[in-house]
Amino acid sequence: MSLFTLLLGGDLTRTPALDAEIADSRIIAADSGMRHAALLGVMPELWVGDFDSEPDGMAEAYAWVPRRAFPADKDKTDGELAIAAALEAGATSLVLVGAFGGARPDHMFLHLAQALQLSEQGIKTRLTSGVQEGVPLLPGKRHRFDYPQKTLFSILGFSALSGLTVEGAKWPLDAVEVPFGSSLTLSNVVDGELAVTLKEGRALLVAHLSNDGEH
């Protein structure tokens, strides 16, 4: 497995769990996501984007990192360009760091959708801010999670969901149908060994993590 960590422009909190997750991975920064490199103590092998949101002084601080520059009038976001660069380099697994929050909620939504698309293509993908993480839920698979008790989580449906089963939660579900746009699967709490199974549909689990190293 070839694991790549992509530094995106959203929020980030450094935690022991995040450090462990990205250890020994290859790093690519997307434009302003380079600011996370110092926080995480990592050195990207590539910096991509149109560099229209590059923080002051960052170019000098990372002058030795190879750049792949694109025009501002382009058809892809900087994050999408970073994903493409990672796949070109042989990535089979991705951690999208800084995928939540930030000044561009439209970009955050796109990151969630791209994570689903990548997972459907066989590229294991996880999104994180350090204190939030998103995990695509592939149909036909029983997804197990080792979150601490009382961890808050939601399941975001990107379509109508069929045969959704949630075990090990305060509000379990047993093969239910969830219409697109329903809030039924928001704000649940871990109560046992969390497992989620989906028969049909597109969904992503978002968990709110502690920042003390628990995962």
Side-chain angles (χ1 to χ4, degrees):
M1 178 182 293
S2 183
L3 173 63
F4 277 71
T5 295
L6 307 186
L7 306 183
L8 306 179
D11 297 336
L12 181 63
T13 299
R14 184 176 182 178
T15 68
L18 178 56
D19 285 348
E21 184 174 19
I22 68 173
D24 301 321
S25 68
R26 296 171 65 179
I27 311 292
I28 295 177
D31 205 340
S32 64
M34 179 60 93
R35 73 185 190 277
H36 298 317
L39 175 62
L40 294 173
V42 299
M43 183 56 61
E45 64 182 62
L46 181 65
W47 192 1
V48 305
D50 56 21
F51 302 101
D52 64 347
S53 55
E54 175 188 316
D56 291 341
M58 200 66 68
E60 293 78 11
Y62 293 95
W64 58 85
V65 176
R67 286 191 177 207
R68 189 175 296 177
F70 295 82
D73 295 333
K74 59 187 188 305
D75 295 330
K76 295 182 178 181
T77 66
D78 296 323
E80 193 171 6
L81 293 170
I83 290 171
L87 296 179
E88 179 184 320
T92 57
S93 183
L94 300 173
V95 179
L96 307 185
V97 169
F100 293 98
R104 295 293 303 272
D106 49 345
H107 284 207
M108 182 182 72
F109 175 82
L110 182 63
H111 298 152
L112 298 175
Q114 287 174 326
L116 283 171
Q117 181 186 48
L118 289 163
S119 293
E120 291 169 353
Q121 295 172 353
I123 306 297
K124 182 180 178 182
T125 306
R126 187 182 300 267
L127 311 100
T128 182
S129 69
V131 292
Q132 285 181 311
E133 76 170 17
V135 181
L137 301 171
L138 294 176
K141 178 182 177 181
R142 188 169 184 261
H143 300 264
R144 299 171 182 266
F145 302 91
D146 60 354
Y147 298 132
Q149 299 302 291
K150 299 184 179 180
T151 296
L152 178 66
F153 73 93
S154 295
I155 295 174
L156 307 181
F158 284 70
S159 71
L161 307 180
S162 178
L164 177 65
T165 296
V166 178
E167 307 166 70
K170 184 176 181 180
W171 293 286
L173 298 173
D174 184 12
V176 301
E177 307 296 304
V178 183
F180 178 61
S182 171
S183 63
L184 174 67
T185 56
L186 296 187
S187 300
N188 209 334
V189 179
V190 174
D191 184 16
E193 296 182 5
L194 181 64
V196 180
T197 306
L198 178 64
K199 183 178 179 182
E200 294 180 356
R202 286 178 157 176
L204 186 143
L205 184 143
V206 175
H208 300 266
L209 311 176
S210 68
N211 62 2
D212 60 3
E214 289 188 313
H215 189 283

